[in-house]
Amino acid sequence: MTYTASVSSKVAQHVIDTISGPVCAVDPDYRYIAFNTVFSEAMLDRYGTHVCLGGDALQGITDESDQARAGEDFNRVLAGEAFFGPAWWEDSSFTQGAGLRFTPMRGKDVVSGVLVTAINAADSAEVAAIKEALSSIIDSADDAVITETLEGIVIGVNASAERMFGYAAKEAIGRPAPEIMFPGCVDDVAALLARVAGGESDEHLETVCVHKGGGLIEVLLTASPIYSEAGEVVAASIVARDITARRSVMRDLEAVHEDAVRQEDELRSANAILQNEVSRRALSEERLEKALRALRTLSASNRNLIHADNEQALLQSVCDIAAEDGGYRMAWVGYVEHDLERTVRPVAFSGVEKGYLDSTRITWGDGPNGQGPTGRSIREKRSVLASDLSTEPGFGPWKASAAARGFRSSISLPLFDRQGSVFGALGIYSQDVDSFDSEETLLLEELSSDLAFGIEAIRTRAQRTEAERKVAESHAALKHLLRGMVEMMGKIVETRDPYTEGHERRVAVVARSIAEDMRLPEKDVQAIEIAALIHDIGKLRVPAEILMKPGLLTPLERGFIEEHARAGFEILKGVAFPKDVAQFVLQHHERMDGSGYPDHLSGESILLGARVIAVADVAEAMSSHRPYRPALGVEEAMVEIATHPELYDKKVVESCLSLYEAGHLGL
């Protein structure tokens, strides 16, 4: 909702017309935006000037001294000041012995106009007394009372509102209430005002407001329309009740109960003239006991809701608590079925059931078995109370079974999912007629709402767990498939060069051991291992006779060999391998001093994974047999990498040597 800079014309005119003295409203350009008949007549009487909406307020005052005084007063108010001053027309009968009240009209962060009200000393003592009495009543109320225009502009607050929200009346009046009091729920308050504007009385909204000094307050807003004499809704009266501490209601009610019992004992010895009071207190105690049993049920159920992880166990525990802790005759939960008969399927019950739920099928359709409290609550999406089951319309199919089990009254409460659809109902039976009063009903409705939330939460967790399980299985399958594909690619390379059979697999073992010893992230370890398994895949493009040549290679043949790193990159770059696998293959023959190939990279410009594979490749190659030389052994390989710090990464070499000395290198 967009809040205008000033009050609506209807509200402004209504408020102004109800004031007995002269009053006018002026915009920042000194143009009249509202005035009452008394003001118009006063101007005509004093200056001989007619006023009109949009007219210049200063030009209308023909006396230059009056005009100057009015301009000065307007400017003070437009600067944000509210004050009481002498009237411009001191000889007017309307303002003798009184003066003018100047009030800024505020929009969003700006003063959008000036309200000038003449305070008439001739107001009757009776009217003043009424105003004072009304003000005293409103100001002494525990609840905050806020009067607003239909656009949300504050036009009045009581003392409780000042305390609750932290804004003095002079700070709040003329400003948008949602902006300063309800910034987190502007749309909800706007919708509330819209319903009131439509003439709906006693509209309620539970929401959160903000104190000026910080901190959140839970409030229950009750909004009622204010009507003009013509019957139009011109403003709203909003009562804000602080419900932050409602969770302490249980303790307060138990204290009241103990006090009621103590007072009842005292009243038993009182004389006969107090019997009426005793009867009244007994009735209060009965209502209190009903509220207490509902509170016991709600409190115990909520404790179970916090720890529940099984839907059936949750349903059964709530039914057990209602029957055992709450003292209800029977409680049950039924789920909505979308079969042809629209069956309500019992899923949990507790108490004096004795086959009641099997005695007659319960449905939520339009047939005879759907006219009971359960079927109606599901169909109509509301709580249905049956105060006397023996006379309840539509209860015929269950009347005899209910009477045999001592069921005298019942309440059925729908269970809503997150989309607002009814998926079940909670039914509670009592052994008393007229058992469920309004307070107890509200608490049981809260119980059904909490139960529905708990069921939805359990289902959501189960769905998430199942989804996570499927994702994990899929991930494991893909990982296994990827590993198989990589190993297959390595074996394809080995078919071209049988002298190096197992070389890439052993390099992968050494590279993984080094990466894990260096405490690299698991995703980096996996990428290094995959790259090591296929680091020589580019040899598929090298002639087999060169790969298996037993003697020294010619420069041309060596050039073919050195191209295998780039060829491997070209083969792998379009494959969706983990991060940097193709780059690791491209760089695994680069050296720290730039003497490697194919791009003569050096130092930190070589990826760490490639540096790990380079050391693992040299260590494995030197310890294995080749066509052009016998195996040199692992120890000789360790000497090679240790004595050439200009070629290999220092930290990778340190890790490799440490693993070798501990017997964990994998060679």
Side-chain angles (χ1 to χ4, degrees):
M1 183 176 191
T2 301
Y3 291 92
T4 58
S6 61
V7 299
S8 70
S9 59
K10 287 185 178 180
V11 174
Q13 198 60 53
H14 171 72
V15 172
I16 287 174
D17 284 344
T18 59
I19 299 174
S20 60
V23 59
C24 68
V26 177
D27 68 14
D29 293 325
Y30 312 127
R31 303 287 180 180
Y32 290 116
I33 56 176
F35 53 83
N36 63 359
T37 303
V38 180
F39 177 82
S40 177
E41 292 174 351
M43 292 296 290
L44 183 63
D45 178 58
R46 174 68 175 81
Y47 299 108
T49 302
H50 290 281
V51 296
C52 61
L53 294 178
D56 190 319
L58 295 182
Q59 289 300 325
I61 302 175
T62 56
D63 187 296
E64 292 185 359
S65 62
D66 292 346
Q67 182 177 0
R69 288 175 55 198
E72 292 172 359
D73 291 339
F74 286 160
N75 289 337
R76 287 176 61 186
V77 179
L78 290 172
E81 180 180 358
F83 62 95
F84 183 85
W88 303 321
W89 52 92
E90 295 179 356
D91 58 339
S92 172
S93 60
F94 290 106
T95 58
Q96 290 177 0
L100 301 179
R101 184 184 301 279
F102 297 89
T103 307
M105 300 168 63
R106 297 182 183 276
K108 184 177 178 58
D109 301 325
V110 296
V111 176
S112 60
V114 180
L115 184 68
V116 184
T117 307
I119 306 302
N120 193 347
D123 279 353
S124 68
E126 181 180 359
V127 171
I130 291 173
K131 290 180 178 178
E132 182 178 353
L134 288 174
S135 176
S136 175
I137 291 171
I138 293 174
D139 279 343
S140 63
D142 291 334
D143 295 334
V145 181
I146 310 161
T147 307
E148 299 180 18
T149 70
L150 299 181
E151 290 84 0
I153 303 300
V154 178
I155 56 178
V157 295
N158 69 344
S160 292
E162 291 182 317
R163 291 192 297 272
M164 182 178 294
F165 298 104
Y167 289 94
K170 64 181 180 180
E171 296 179 285
I173 292 175
R175 298 179 66 183
E179 174 189 304
I180 61 175
M181 299 174 182
F182 315 106
C185 47
V186 171
D187 292 340
D188 291 338
V189 176
L192 181 69
L193 289 174
R195 293 196 296 274
V196 172
E200 298 183 40
S201 299
D202 296 329
E203 284 294 303
H204 299 291
L205 170 66
E206 284 194 22
T207 186
V208 175
C209 68
V210 179
H211 189 275
K212 177 183 178 183
L216 302 178
I217 310 166
E218 292 184 50
V219 295
L220 172 64
L221 301 182
T222 303
S224 302
I226 297 174
Y227 295 90
S228 68
E229 293 180 0
E232 294 181 335
V233 179
V234 294
S237 175
I238 297 181
V239 177
R241 173 164 295 177
D242 189 343
I243 59 172
T244 306
R246 68 176 180 178
R247 294 302 180 189
S248 65
V249 170
M250 182 68 178
R251 295 193 301 273
D252 295 337
L253 287 176
E254 288 178 344
V256 172
H257 175 65
E258 292 174 359
D259 184 64
V261 171
R262 184 173 62 255
Q263 291 187 28
E264 183 182 357
D265 291 339
E266 295 172 356
L267 286 172
R268 285 178 182 151
S269 62
N271 62 47
I273 62 173
L274 296 178
Q275 289 305 310
N276 289 337
E277 179 63 19
V278 172
S279 299
R280 186 190 66 79
R281 191 167 295 279
L283 179 60
S284 297
E285 183 183 355
E286 179 183 355
R287 295 183 62 188
L288 180 60
E289 181 58 37
K290 290 179 180 179
L292 282 171
R293 72 176 179 178
L295 275 173
R296 285 194 295 269
T297 303
L298 176 61
S299 178
S301 297
N302 281 342
R303 285 196 296 272
N304 275 14
L305 282 170
I306 295 173
H307 305 290
D309 57 3
N310 178 277
E311 182 173 337
Q312 184 60 42
L314 172 62
L315 296 172
Q316 190 59 51
S317 69
V318 170
C319 291
D320 290 343
I321 289 168
E324 297 168 10
D325 295 7
Y328 294 104
R329 189 70 174 169
M330 198 267 281
W332 73 289
V333 176
Y335 278 176
V336 169
E337 297 289 341
H338 294 278
D339 54 2
L340 188 60
E341 296 183 2
R342 295 189 170 184
T343 306
V344 180
R345 175 172 57 89
V347 291
F349 64 84
S350 186
V352 188
E353 194 271 339
K354 297 181 180 179
Y356 173 76
L357 297 173
D358 295 328
S359 63
T360 304
R361 180 183 293 272
I362 300 173
T363 73
W364 58 284
D366 294 327
N369 287 11
Q371 303 308 309
T374 300
R376 289 174 55 203
S377 70
I378 294 172
R379 193 168 55 250
E380 299 171 14
K381 296 185 176 182
R382 65 178 182 87
S383 301
V384 174
L385 176 64
S387 299
D388 188 345
L389 294 177
S390 65
T391 61
E392 178 70 18
F395 198 71
W398 307 277
K399 189 173 296 184
S401 296
R405 293 163 177 79
F407 301 161
R408 305 292 301 281
S409 61
S410 74
I411 185 170
S412 184
L413 308 119
L415 302 175
F416 294 94
D417 61 21
R418 288 188 176 90
Q419 288 71 44
S421 299
V422 178
F423 68 87
L426 169 64
I428 298 178
Y429 293 81
S430 173
Q431 62 269 34
D432 301 317
V433 174
D434 295 324
S435 179
F436 303 93
D437 59 23
S438 58
E439 290 85 356
E440 187 174 9
T441 298
L442 286 174
L443 290 169
L444 293 176
E445 286 176 343
E446 184 173 350
L447 169 63
S448 68
S449 177
D450 291 347
L451 175 59
F453 177 82
I455 294 170
E456 286 283 281
I458 290 173
R459 290 178 178 179
T460 299
R461 284 198 298 271
Q463 291 170 356
R464 183 171 61 247
T465 300
E466 177 63 15
E468 289 173 349
R469 183 188 66 78
K470 290 182 178 179
V471 169
E473 289 179 352
S474 177
H475 179 73
L478 288 172
K479 185 177 179 181
H480 181 73
L481 177 61
L482 176 62
R483 177 70 181 223
M485 291 176 62
V486 170
E487 290 181 351
M488 180 184 68
M489 295 169 70
K491 289 177 180 178
I492 291 173
V493 176
E494 291 174 354
T495 61
R496 300 287 315 286
D497 186 3
Y499 289 104
T500 61
E501 181 178 0
H503 166 68
E504 294 192 288
R505 178 176 51 79
R506 290 190 294 272
V507 170
V509 171
V510 175
R512 183 176 183 91
S513 298
I514 294 173
E516 289 178 339
D517 185 69
M518 294 178 69
R519 301 184 184 277
L520 299 182
E522 178 59 26
K523 61 183 180 62
D524 293 342
V525 173
Q526 292 178 5
I528 290 171
E529 182 181 27
I530 291 171
L533 281 168
I534 53 176
H535 71 277
D536 281 338
I537 192 171
K539 288 182 178 180
L540 290 172
R541 295 184 180 177
V542 178
E545 57 270 20
I546 296 178
L547 292 176
M548 294 184 289
K549 183 177 180 180
L552 295 175
L553 298 176
T554 67
L556 179 61
E557 291 170 335
R558 177 165 294 280
F560 271 109
I561 291 291
E562 292 183 355
E563 276 301 310
H564 83 277
R566 192 180 306 279
F569 172 76
E570 293 297 328
I571 293 171
L572 300 175
K573 68 179 182 180
V575 182
F577 279 118
K579 177 183 178 183
D580 293 331
V581 166
Q583 286 290 339
F584 292 166
V585 171
L586 176 64
Q587 299 178 10
H588 77 278
H589 274 293
E590 300 288 359
R591 296 295 180 256
M592 298 298 287
D593 62 356
S595 62
Y597 61 84
D599 295 319
H600 305 293
L601 301 177
S602 62
E604 296 296 325
S605 61
I606 306 171
L607 295 177
L608 178 57
R611 286 179 257 160
V612 171
I613 296 173
V615 171
D617 189 25
V618 170
E620 198 287 327
M622 290 185 66
S623 61
S624 301
H625 176 75
R626 289 293 183 268
Y628 49 85
R629 61 155 174 81
L632 299 177
V634 180
E635 184 173 352
E636 185 67 24
M638 295 302 103
V639 171
E640 163 66 20
I641 63 175
T643 57
H644 290 286
E646 76 280 4
L647 299 179
Y648 310 109
D649 183 282
K650 178 181 178 182
K651 291 184 179 179
V652 176
V653 171
E654 289 175 354
S655 178
C656 181
L657 294 174
S658 174
L659 289 168
Y660 169 68
E661 292 171 0
H664 300 312
L665 188 58
L667 291 176

